[in-house]
Amino acid sequence: MKHINTSFIIGLLLATFIISTDSFSQTYGQNGMVVSDNAVASQVGTDILKKGGNAIDASIATAFALAVTHPQAGNIGGGGFIVYTDATGKSTTIDFREKAPLLATAEMFLDSSGNLVKGSNHEGLKSVGVPGTVAGLYLAHQKYGALPWKDLVQPSVDLAEKGVVLSYALAEHAKNFNASSSSKPQFLKDYYKKPNGEVVKFGELWVQKNLAETLKLIRDKGKDGFYKGAVAQEIASFMKANGGIITLEDLAKYDAIEREAITGTYKDYGIVSMPPPSSGGVAIIEMLNIMEQANLDSIPFNSTQYVHLVAETMRRAFADRAEHLGDPDFNLEMPLERLTSKEFAKMRYENIDMNRASVSDSLKFGQLYDGPNTTHLSVVDKAGNAVSLTYTIEQSYGSGLGSPKLGFIFNNEMGDFNPQPGYTDTGWLIGTNPNIIQPEKRMLSSMSPTIITKNGKPYLVIGSPGGRTIINTVFQTILNVIAYDMPIEKAIEAMKIHHQWFPDQITFEKDLMSPDTQLNLIQMGHTLKGTNNLGRLMGILIPTDGDVYIGAADSSSPDGGAVGY
Ligand code: GLY
């Protein structure tokens, strides 16, 4: 799928400092680069770089801008992760994953017989985790920002207050929310309406006055503008009035955490990624370690052997993920060193039969549910500092709920916990302990913001939305760049597969795998399921031999864009 950017976005991109593009639609910059799911937001970030902001500043401004221009996943009502590697190779991460409210219980989504009430963990105000985004961006700024906080929030206030031209993709959402068949919550039906009640159309100006007022409080009061005062009061009273359980105490207690990055190597490259409560970093390092065992020179990209080996690698990493990973503040004994060690990968690799699919053991571990809608942004500044930021409200438009007075959407991230303790099946449910609901626990995530280093310095900044598929699409893009020598855009667009232990099947991009390969894989015992697209990757490559940054936004992102200067 190629970009369906609106004429507005094309105009905006032409007006910026894109230096040139080649046949893969890569964007080149000499001084800095921002790539995100929305070209307007990428422009906001690049403007901050031009004003002397560093990569952390630009990522904060871009994240706030996405909360206005990309509301299906950009947010102040959700949570996420920042992975940061500075120009000298020093790395850290910021964990701003949502938390379970104090009143949450392990059984909160079960009926009186102890079974999951289907859908309940993703619906209604009980599905909302205590938001972390504002606290995370604020902590990142306090520790590593350069420009004043207000300068980073102001562009998003302007976008909300003065309005943005509605893109074709968002206009289609607006239309669908208001179709007569739509069962969406009223909050979403009203989300794209003008004060006169008409739905905003493609190309019209879309103004969000109430969101602008919320953002002004965050601009003026920092973290406290969200977690204390008028915004917190309104969140708590809205929750109380409508069956939610988040209180003022939950909001006041919320803190983002700086955590040591999880690191590994693939041949001469360093891997810097997000540790738990993300499962992404551990799984990506485990999978790259397994792939390192194979001689990829004799396994061509997209061949039957390639797909088989990659799928078997994923199967093993996802089983380990389900067994071991959860919030590190509640799971003190997670074997992270072992899971990311070369010895463990060797053992995992040695039991792969290169001629036959193995079978996922239904009595052991199932899959974790993660929503498909999340968003990623990558930033590099003039000095070479790099930020990989992924954040989410879980499903597209999260819970679909929010206080009209505040103008932002609440996540439905409680759905990322294992909802039925002790119950695991071969379909969608897993009941393993590390990720059972507990008050103040962070739900396990698949978000995988990652930075690959070469000679100790940032080389590739990459991430994606896509629920559990995030881990696998990021893993394959890294492999495409560093093992299969693809340019960044080609690596992003190239055929991807997804296997997650359960269901025991390979999901693949159906137009990009040959029918012969499909037949071969079936004969080896694999079950296949075609899909149109996997991942929406946003990447920046920093070649070591020149002063250039190469950005690429996945063509499956209708409004996405790389903006460099
Ligand atoms: N909600 C998607 C994730 O955290 O992986």
Side-chain angles (χ1 to χ4, degrees):
M1 221 194 339
K2 281 288 146 201
H3 279 193
I4 340 163
N5 284 342
T6 64
S7 51
F8 165 73
I9 286 167
I10 292 168
L12 184 140
L13 287 176
L14 290 176
T16 62
F17 289 78
I18 296 170
I19 288 173
S20 67
T21 57
D22 71 8
S23 54
F24 291 122
S25 312
Q26 297 182 147
T27 299
Y28 294 85
Q30 283 179 306
N31 299 297
M33 176 76 65
V34 180
V35 189
S36 83
D37 246 328
N38 184 274
V40 177
S42 298
Q43 181 66 56
V44 165
T46 302
D47 288 344
I48 291 294
L49 293 178
K50 284 188 209 160
K51 277 189 195 154
N54 62 23
I56 287 283
D57 292 327
S59 69
I60 293 168
T62 308
F64 276 119
L66 286 166
V68 181
T69 60
H70 188 72
Q72 61 270 53
N75 70 80
I76 53 174
F81 306 120
I82 288 174
V83 172
Y84 175 54
T85 300
D86 73 15
T88 67
K90 220 165 117 243
S91 295
T92 190
T93 76
I94 306 282
D95 170 7
F96 53 101
R97 184 67 161 163
E98 301 94 321
K99 280 180 164 187
L102 289 160
L103 291 173
T105 66
E107 295 81 26
M108 65 189 280
F109 297 118
L110 307 183
D111 63 19
S112 53
S113 320
N115 296 317
L116 175 67
V117 180
K118 208 163 169 259
S120 63
N121 54 341
H122 275 111
E123 280 167 16
L125 288 176
K126 290 205 174 70
S127 72
V128 183
V130 182
T133 295
V134 176
L137 300 181
Y138 193 69
L139 179 62
H141 179 257
Q142 281 194 313
K143 294 237 155 171
Y144 303 105
L147 293 185
W149 171 255
K150 284 185 182 169
D151 294 7
L152 311 181
V153 189
Q154 186 60 42
S156 62
V157 172
D158 291 339
L159 288 170
E161 194 159 52
K162 296 178 187 156
V164 289
V165 177
L166 200 68
S167 71
Y168 177 76
L170 294 190
E172 286 297 294
H173 296 177
K175 227 194 288 176
N176 292 339
F177 291 168
N178 284 283
S180 53
S181 56
S182 167
S183 57
K184 293 289 180 197
Q186 193 59 43
F187 182 74
L188 275 194
K189 291 188 178 177
D190 294 340
Y191 202 70
Y192 290 106
K193 283 189 183 155
K194 302 179 208 169
N196 69 3
E198 281 175 18
V199 177
V200 187
K201 295 196 184 70
F202 168 43
E204 289 184 340
L205 206 60
W206 173 44
V207 174
Q208 300 174 75
K209 288 269 187 229
N210 292 346
L211 178 58
E213 293 310 312
T214 303
L215 288 167
K216 281 181 196 170
L217 286 171
I218 295 166
R219 176 196 63 192
D220 297 341
K221 300 188 166 157
K223 182 188 165 202
D224 286 352
F226 187 89
Y227 294 92
K228 291 182 181 159
V231 172
Q233 292 280 0
E234 175 55 24
I235 294 174
S237 27
F238 184 83
M239 287 280 163
K240 195 166 178 194
N242 296 286
I245 56 173
I246 293 177
T247 61
L248 276 178
E249 189 184 358
D250 283 309
L251 294 163
K253 281 186 93 170
Y254 186 87
D255 259 329
I257 300 182
E258 183 166 20
R259 296 189 193 276
E260 202 179 313
I262 188 137
T263 57
T265 59
Y266 180 87
K267 299 196 170 159
D268 292 340
Y269 296 86
I271 309 158
V272 182
S273 196
M274 194 65 212
S278 174
S279 54
V282 176
I284 285 171
I285 292 169
E286 178 180 343
M287 291 195 289
L288 286 170
N289 281 341
I290 296 174
M291 293 302 290
E292 201 180 41
Q293 301 288 321
N295 175 12
L296 295 187
D297 291 342
S298 64
I299 305 181
F301 176 75
N302 220 350
S303 61
T304 300
Q305 291 283 284
Y306 167 86
V307 177
H308 173 71
L309 174 60
V310 168
E312 290 301 325
T313 297
M314 291 171 176
R315 182 200 302 276
R316 284 155 180 75
F318 269 75
D320 293 328
R321 169 193 191 271
E323 181 173 5
H324 297 291
L325 302 184
D327 183 343
D329 297 338
F330 287 73
N331 296 280
L332 303 178
E333 306 286 331
M334 286 185 291
L336 302 187
E337 244 175 67
R338 181 162 166 263
L339 292 176
T340 56
S341 70
K342 301 286 181 194
E343 298 71 45
F344 186 74
K346 188 162 184 290
M347 191 185 82
R348 282 281 183 254
Y349 176 72
E350 278 169 357
N351 77 6
I352 295 175
D353 178 342
M354 280 307 284
N355 298 307
R356 197 73 211 146
S358 41
V359 178
S360 296
D361 183 346
S362 62
L363 296 177
K364 286 179 78 187
F365 311 109
Q367 70 184 33
L368 306 178
Y369 184 89
D370 293 325
N373 225 290
T374 296
T375 189
H376 178 81
L377 62 102
S378 294
V379 181
V380 181
D381 65 21
K382 192 171 172 136
N385 304 304
V387 171
S388 193
L389 185 159
T390 312
Y391 72 154
T392 185
I393 43 176
E394 167 68 345
Q395 294 177 319
S396 185
Y397 294 92
S399 64
L401 301 169
S403 158
K405 289 184 193 156
L406 300 175
F408 69 87
I409 301 167
F410 293 133
N411 68 80
N412 57 350
E413 217 73 53
M414 291 295 285
D416 270 355
F417 279 115
N418 297 348
Q420 195 171 333
Y423 182 76
T424 298
D425 64 16
T426 56
W428 294 95
L429 280 176
I430 176 162
T432 50
N433 262 330
N435 193 36
I436 297 293
I437 301 171
Q438 284 177 258
E440 293 197 89
K441 195 185 210 176
R442 294 169 204 258
M443 53 297 279
L444 186 62
S445 172
S446 297
M447 291 187 284
S448 309
T450 299
I451 296 172
I452 300 298
T453 60
K454 195 173 181 182
N455 304 327
K457 302 210 165 135
Y459 175 69
L460 171 66
V461 189
I462 192 76
S464 177
R468 289 146 292 160
T469 71
I470 294 172
I471 300 172
N472 287 335
T473 57
V474 171
F475 155 62
Q476 288 167 96
T477 306
I478 294 168
L479 205 60
N480 290 348
V481 171
I482 64 182
Y484 287 100
D485 226 6
M486 292 183 199
I488 177 79
E489 174 72 5
K490 190 171 176 191
I492 284 174
E493 301 294 338
M495 197 281 300
K496 305 277 184 317
I497 67 161
H498 172 68
H499 195 298
Q500 58 179 34
W501 187 246
F502 280 116
D504 187 352
Q505 66 187 22
I506 299 174
T507 307
F508 67 102
E509 290 184 315
K510 61 184 176 207
D511 296 333
L512 301 178
M513 190 194 284
S514 88
D516 292 353
T517 306
Q518 293 173 41
L519 195 60
N520 291 340
L521 289 163
I522 290 166
Q523 282 168 351
M524 290 168 83
H526 289 287
T527 300
L528 300 189
K529 181 169 176 255
T531 187
N532 289 329
N533 184 63
L534 286 168
R536 218 163 58 228
L537 294 126
M538 302 288 150
I540 302 174
L541 190 81
I542 312 152
T544 46
D545 52 359
D547 289 336
V548 67
Y549 303 140
I550 309 172
D554 201 318
S555 65
S556 63
S557 172
D559 296 337
V563 180
Y565 81 107

